[in-house]
């Protein structure tokens, strides 16, 4: 399972709100929703976020082992 909690932690450290992500940095509302709810995001988008905020991908996502998978 992929979690975008590191992204939100990083945004909090940088004092960037969801409002600013949409209105100042031009992120699409749908993308912010996907990140907030750990929904799938393509790798190009991850690269764009990494470049836009000058952060490594490790500060955007965390891969957790799914213990319910067989």
């Amino acid at each position: 399972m992929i979690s975008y909690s590191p992204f939100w932690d990083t945004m909090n450290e940088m004092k960037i709100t969801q409002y600013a992500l949409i209105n100042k940095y031009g992120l699409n509302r749908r993308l912010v929703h996907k990140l907030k709810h750990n929904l799938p995001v393509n790798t190009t988008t991850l690269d764009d976020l990494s470049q836009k905020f000058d952060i490594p991908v490790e500060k955007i996502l965390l891969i957790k082992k799914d213990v319910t998978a067989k």
Side-chain angles (χ1 to χ4, degrees), residues 4-52:
Y4 298 108
S5 60
F7 177 75
W8 296 110
D9 294 341
T10 302
M11 293 300 101
N12 284 335
E13 290 170 12
M14 297 173 73
K15 297 186 180 3
I16 298 174
T17 64
Q18 289 182 52
Y19 180 86
L21 288 173
I22 295 165
N23 294 297
K24 182 178 179 183
Y25 295 97
L27 269 62
N28 183 291
R29 289 178 188 271
R30 174 174 266 148
L31 173 59
V32 173
H33 174 82
K34 286 181 174 185
L35 293 169
K36 198 69 177 166
H37 297 281
N38 297 319
L39 298 173
V41 173
N42 68 43
T43 55
T44 303
T45 301
L46 295 174
D47 183 49
D48 290 345
L49 289 171
S50 178
Q51 298 296 319
K52 183 179 289 264

